[in-house]
Amino acid sequence: MIQAYFNIFAIFAMMFVGYFLTYKKWFDRHTADVFSKMVLGLALPFEMFITITQKFSRTEFLQLISGIIVPILSMVLAYFASKVVAQLLGVDKQRRGTFSTMFTCSNTIFIGLPINMAIFGSRAVPYVLIYYIANTTFFWTWGVYQISKDSQTFAGLDNVPQSFGLMDGLKKVLNPAMLGFITGIFWLLTGVKVPLALANFSTYIGSLTTPLSMFIIGITVYFLGLRTLKLNKAIVGVLMGRFIISPLIIILITRVIAIPDIMVKVFFIQSSMPIQNSVPILARMYHADVEFATATLGYTVLSYLAVVPVLLAIMQLI
């Protein structure tokens, strides 16, 4: 556990490097956009492809994909839990859609993937993606719809439409990372060995995923403006959802649905990640409460390092 924590600290050290280099004007918002495109459009697809083709057999893959029911069920339960918590805390109605989305959906790639690789190594990548499939599908469909609903009541913008582009959401789900995963699956099922040159190229490109992802988080935290973050009961509710309720739901579900031990632990870690980076952007797009979304992103990212030792200790017991 101690070794895993130091591995995670090394990952977060990259985030601090990203923060510092942004402070020194090496990086800016455009840099974050470029890095995001590189991770999602280049590094991660090759990471998925090489991991699937090199780390798994056909039989292992079929066992892997059957476990997707666990994250799907956990997010449905977490969503309903968010409604109960919002009611108990008296979260403002104009924040409840955004609140539920942040409560339910986690940052499975930019933080989740590096953290899981720090703990479990590259063997965790396919399990990370299984959770990512469920999380991303939920976020870019129902989650975005919930954020768009807040626009009706926030700041008196009663005429803002509730609708959002469903096809745009589906395009987010079927992104290059997912296509890299699918390509790896088909290659695996053919039984053809990946040529050495392609394997080496994929490994080199895929290794960019972790440092670039953490640089993105560092840049994001810098531009959030730490001094402007204000804690309130709604943010506390999201912190409860991310770090307590969501991982607890995973534990309970996996007591009923049997899946491999490493899958349980990866899902547990994935369920306790900070919120999605995209939430403040979507809040701005749909005229929801941008300040609330931005402050919540800052608090979940910055508090995660303190939460990690507790999560690792619990993980040893499940």
Side-chain angles (χ1 to χ4, degrees), residues 107 110-111 213 216-217 220 275-281 297 301:
N107 192 322
F110 292 124
I111 299 182
S213 295
I216 292 166
I217 298 300
T220 301
I275 71 167
Q276 288 263 14
N277 290 7
S278 304
V279 175
I281 299 171
L297 174 61
V301 170

Side-chain angles (χ1 to χ4, degrees), residues 75 104-109 111-116 120 124-125 127-132 135 242 246-247 250 264-274 304:
M75 286 173 207
T104 305
C105 300
S106 57
N107 192 322
T108 54
I109 291 297
I111 299 182
L113 179 60
I115 295 300
N116 275 284
F120 306 108
V125 173
Y127 306 111
V128 168
L129 191 65
I130 291 298
Y131 196 97
Y132 166 77
N135 185 84
R242 291 284 76 243
S246 290
I250 288 290
V264 174
K265 292 180 177 179
V266 170
F267 287 174
F268 174 79
I269 295 297
Q270 283 287 71
S271 68
S272 63
M273 289 292 136
Y304 187 73

Side-chain angles (χ1 to χ4, degrees), residues 4 12 69 117 122 165 173 187 189 197 229 243-244 251 268 299 307:
F12 267 80
I69 186 62
M117 291 182 67
S122 60
V173 175
W187 197 299
L189 295 178
L229 300 183
F243 301 143
I244 299 175
I251 293 175
F268 174 79
Y299 274 107
V307 172

Side-chain angles (χ1 to χ4, degrees), residues 3-307:
Q3 183 61 49
Y5 182 76
F6 278 111
N7 288 343
I8 292 171
F9 186 80
I11 296 297
F12 267 80
M14 297 183 199
M15 182 191 78
F16 296 135
V17 170
Y19 183 96
F20 179 74
L21 293 181
T22 308
Y23 167 75
K24 298 296 289 184
K25 310 300 181 184
W26 286 28
F27 296 159
D28 55 21
R29 296 181 190 273
H30 177 66
T31 307
D33 293 338
V34 172
F35 284 175
S36 295
K37 290 178 181 178
M38 289 181 66
V39 170
L40 293 176
L42 183 65
L44 189 55
F46 280 104
E47 179 76 36
M48 297 303 177
F49 171 78
I50 198 63
T51 301
I52 286 291
T53 55
Q54 299 291 316
K55 303 293 184 181
F56 286 85
S57 65
R58 297 181 193 180
T59 302
E60 288 171 332
F61 169 73
L62 294 175
Q63 293 174 345
L64 168 72
I65 200 67
S66 63
I68 198 171
I69 186 62
V70 172
I72 290 175
L73 185 56
S74 73
M75 286 173 207
V76 172
L77 294 176
Y79 173 75
F80 284 110
S82 74
K83 294 299 183 182
V84 175
V85 173
Q87 188 70 31
L88 292 175
L89 294 179
V91 175
D92 294 340
K93 290 184 178 180
Q94 66 265 29
R95 292 176 168 175
R96 290 194 178 183
T98 306
F99 176 89
S100 291
T101 299
M102 295 191 294
F103 188 105
T104 305
C105 300
S106 57
N107 192 322
T108 54
I109 291 297
F110 292 124
I111 299 182
L113 179 60
I115 295 300
N116 275 284
M117 291 182 67
I119 299 172
F120 306 108
S122 60
R123 63 186 178 134
V125 173
Y127 306 111
V128 168
L129 191 65
I130 291 298
Y131 196 97
Y132 166 77
I133 292 171
N135 185 84
T136 302
T137 302
F138 188 98
F139 179 80
W140 287 105
T141 52
W142 189 248
V144 173
Y145 172 68
Q146 290 299 309
I147 294 172
S148 73
K149 286 173 63 177
D150 285 351
S151 64
Q152 279 197 310
T153 54
F154 183 67
L157 296 175
D158 297 325
N159 296 321
V160 178
Q162 291 189 44
S163 61
F164 69 99
L166 181 60
M167 290 305 298
D168 290 338
L170 293 177
K171 289 178 182 178
K172 292 289 185 179
V173 175
L174 296 175
N175 55 42
M178 192 69 71
L179 295 177
F181 180 69
I182 294 171
T183 302
I185 291 171
F186 280 112
W187 197 299
L188 177 68
L189 295 178
T190 65
V192 177
K193 186 176 181 180
V194 179
L196 181 60
L198 177 58
N200 288 337
F201 179 81
S202 300
T203 300
Y204 291 141
I205 296 296
S207 64
L208 295 172
T209 300
T210 295
L212 291 183
S213 295
M214 297 316 294
F215 284 169
I216 292 166
I217 298 300
I219 296 169
T220 301
V221 170
Y222 177 84
F223 283 112
L224 285 177
L226 301 183
R227 296 178 181 177
T228 64
L229 300 183
K230 298 178 181 179
L231 187 65
N232 56 49
K233 60 185 178 181
I235 294 176
V236 172
V238 174
L239 292 173
M240 290 171 54
R242 291 284 76 243
F243 301 143
I244 299 175
I245 297 175
S246 290
L248 179 60
I249 289 173
I250 288 290
I251 293 175
L252 295 176
I253 291 176
T254 53
R255 290 295 180 267
V256 178
I257 302 176
I259 58 175
D261 181 62
I262 185 174
M263 187 181 287
V264 174
K265 292 180 177 179
V266 170
F267 287 174
F268 174 79
I269 295 297
Q270 283 287 71
S271 68
S272 63
M273 289 292 136
I275 71 167
Q276 288 263 14
N277 290 7
S278 304
V279 175
I281 299 171
L282 291 167
R284 182 176 293 107
M285 180 186 302
Y286 290 106
H287 306 285
D289 193 337
V290 179
E291 183 179 346
F292 168 54
T294 302
T296 305
L297 174 61
Y299 274 107
T300 56
V301 170
L302 294 174
S303 61
Y304 187 73
L305 195 56
V307 172

